[in-house]
Amino acid sequence: MASIRFYEPAETTWTEPVDAYPPAVLPLIPPVELTGSRVKIHHRGGDDEPQLLEVQVDPDVELASHAHLATEIVLVLEGELIVGARRLGAGASMLVPGGTLYAVKAGPEGVRFANFRGVGDYTYLDPASFLAWRDEQRAATAGDT
């Protein structure tokens, strides 16, 4: 039988991305992201369990163009998240479909946001990896017809 799991902020500290993400994806992440952000893992997630991360990004740090395989919802908790020409303040959110290339930047005061995914997903596709993945998807789809 399943049980309720709780997250208590006082029992969790901020983790460096190098300690939170799988080693295989770390070489794809630009160094400024690894040193200019921190993560709290509220719920790690799994194949059949949702994931919730809290992310804090230093002022003006850009999270470079990348994609994840799972759809995610980003909810700004504090500060400002810049997505292209849009500026999202506290309480604003965005839904990013899985397999969508995007970049964000922290505002001048930094940003803290919640990142929710319906399954545990620690994938990170940089632009080159994304293009290779997309080509594989297209080839697989073409083979189905």
Side-chain angles (χ1 to χ4, degrees):
M1 182 189 290
S3 62
I4 296 173
R5 283 175 263 165
F6 298 93
Y7 168 85
E8 292 289 344
E11 297 172 7
T12 307
T13 59
W14 289 101
T15 303
E16 299 298 320
V18 295
D19 297 323
Y21 300 122
V25 303
L26 294 175
L28 302 174
I29 303 173
V32 69
E33 292 182 41
L34 297 176
T35 59
S37 66
R38 284 146 306 284
V39 179
K40 282 187 180 182
I41 301 172
H42 288 238
H43 301 281
R44 186 164 291 282
D47 290 342
D48 60 350
E49 291 186 341
Q51 170 182 302
L52 180 62
L53 307 176
E54 183 177 350
V55 181
Q56 185 179 60
V57 184
D58 292 340
D60 301 314
V61 168
E62 182 174 348
L63 305 183
S65 189
H66 67 283
H68 305 286
L69 296 181
T71 296
E72 61 188 314
I73 295 174
V74 175
L75 172 64
V76 178
L77 302 171
E78 288 181 338
E80 184 177 56
L81 188 65
I82 302 166
V83 186
R86 298 207 51 164
R87 293 177 171 270
L88 305 176
S93 65
M94 68 178 187
L95 183 143
V96 182
T100 300
L101 201 59
Y102 72 103
V104 297
K105 182 178 176 181
E109 304 297 321
V111 68
R112 186 171 62 90
F113 60 85
N115 183 290
F116 173 81
R117 298 177 192 166
V119 296
D121 175 32
Y122 293 89
T123 59
Y124 184 99
L125 303 174
D126 66 358
S129 300
F130 169 79
L131 292 173
W133 172 82
R134 186 187 67 186
D135 290 345
E136 289 173 10
Q137 298 301 305
R138 288 179 175 169
T141 303
D144 289 343
T145 58

